[in-house]
Amino acid sequence: MRNVVIVAACRTPIGTIGGQFKTLTSLDLSIPVMQNLVTRAGINPEIIDDVIWGCN
């Protein structure tokens, strides 16, 4: 990987332990975030080679 580009940052909704998001997987929460990031950045998702996804 020669060129590293950060195009946007976004986060999932904030909830509480055992709250409204307890039935969702990390993938369920991540997909809408990634879709929104691609839309906001205005890029073609086909040009994305790799994604490094962080969790804090």
Side-chain angles (χ1 to χ4, degrees):
M1 182 173 14
R2 291 186 177 176
N3 298 316
V4 177
V5 179
I6 298 173
V7 294
C10 187
R11 64 161 295 122
T12 58
I14 298 172
T16 57
I17 295 175
Q20 62 188 359
F21 302 119
K22 69 182 175 188
T23 61
L24 299 177
T25 67
S26 56
L27 187 59
D28 293 330
L29 289 169
S30 298
I31 290 172
V33 172
M34 180 57 85
Q35 290 170 331
N36 186 275
L37 288 170
V38 169
T39 300
R40 273 202 265 164
I43 61 173
N44 179 349
E46 293 179 9
I47 69 168
I48 299 172
D49 292 327
D50 197 10
V51 173
I52 299 172
W53 201 254
C55 179
N56 295 319

